[in-house]
Amino acid sequence: MRSRRCAAHGAIARYRLMPAAALAALLLCALPAQGQQALDDLIIAVSNDRVAEVRSLLARGMDPDSVDANGDPLLIIAVRSGSLGALESLLAAKARPDRRNAHDDSPILLAALKGNLAMVRRLQAAGAPLDGPGWTPLIYAATGGHEAIVRFLLEQGARIDAASPNGTTALMMAIREHRLGVAEMLLARGADPARRNQLGLSALQYAEQGNETALAQRLRAR
């Protein structure tokens, strides 16, 4: 049975506009054997939060923005592994907090989806954008039902009605995924329940489709 986090990621994946370009050439095959081994060692160290080893490899000149064979930057590997110490070390080495992978996910997007508030805070402090084109950390956090992260992002100025490429908002995703605590928070802070996405669906219609009767009644009243 899939975890709720995996289900949330799947919900977003179904709404994503996947990038048209295929995975860019990663240059890994062009690395000398010694350089490839060092990169492999760094990826393993980041994945296992071996901070001293990460710092040692970075001090030897390894690029903190290196990517693995799947096109995932080291910061994203750190987020997926929950490796906060490694993430701190990469940011201290000037890793780009906005570096995205082949699926157009950024470190802060995945940290928001996973519910890792400490990583969201650290990435935001390092300059990771909260808004902009495409899916936003707020939408990801709402999809995962992470109230503390939603609250933090709003306090930091994230746009409450920012929409994905297909017009889906954090409120819509919270209701769609039955994250009622997040939905109520967003409504209390002024989220617009009348907005519609490219499918023509509004927050009310998501509530009706999900049999969230009480919430649907409140949305009708608004």
Side-chain angles (χ1 to χ4, degrees):
M1 182 175 180
R2 293 188 308 170
S3 68
R4 294 181 70 184
R5 175 172 63 80
C6 289
H9 207 170
I12 286 178
R14 289 193 294 274
Y15 275 77
R16 295 296 301 260
L17 291 182
M18 297 300 293
L23 179 61
L26 301 178
L27 301 180
L28 295 180
C29 59
L31 285 174
Q34 185 176 8
Q36 180 62 60
Q37 184 60 57
L39 177 57
D40 291 343
D41 291 344
L42 180 55
I43 290 169
I44 292 170
V46 169
S47 298
N48 291 280
D49 207 20
R50 298 204 293 253
V51 176
E53 188 174 349
V54 171
R55 290 176 179 170
S56 174
L57 288 164
L58 292 172
R60 286 163 48 191
M62 293 299 297
D63 184 357
D65 286 319
S66 297
V67 297
D68 68 7
N70 296 316
D72 286 330
L74 292 172
L75 281 177
I76 283 182
I77 295 170
V79 169
R80 284 190 173 143
S81 304
S83 301
L84 181 59
L87 181 134
E88 293 274 6
S89 299
L90 291 166
L91 290 174
K94 307 303 181 185
R96 286 173 45 199
D98 60 344
R99 182 77 181 270
R100 294 178 176 249
N101 65 10
H103 301 291
D104 206 32
D105 282 322
S106 69
I108 196 170
L109 285 173
L110 295 180
L113 181 64
K114 286 172 64 68
N116 195 318
L117 178 58
M119 285 188 170
V120 169
R121 286 180 177 274
R122 185 64 187 88
L123 289 161
Q124 186 271 335
L130 300 185
D131 292 310
W135 295 75
T136 69
L138 182 65
I139 299 174
Y140 270 48
T143 301
H146 305 303
E147 295 183 30
I149 295 179
V150 169
R151 187 179 300 109
F152 170 75
L153 292 170
L154 292 174
E155 289 170 353
Q156 297 303 310
R159 292 190 294 118
I160 196 167
D161 288 319
S164 74
N166 64 15
T168 301
T169 66
L171 178 61
M172 293 176 197
M173 289 302 293
I175 295 173
R176 183 184 183 279
E177 295 302 306
H178 305 283
R179 315 298 193 181
L180 298 190
V182 170
E184 295 287 2
M185 181 193 305
L186 292 168
L187 286 168
R189 292 181 178 236
D192 182 2
R195 292 179 66 113
R196 293 177 182 270
N197 61 18
Q198 290 179 2
L199 298 174
L201 298 175
S202 67
L204 171 59
Q205 288 168 305
Y206 279 115
E208 291 173 338
Q209 289 180 358
N211 295 316
E212 298 291 354
T213 306
L215 179 58
Q217 289 176 343
R218 289 197 294 279
L219 289 170
R220 288 192 201 97
R222 290 169 67 100

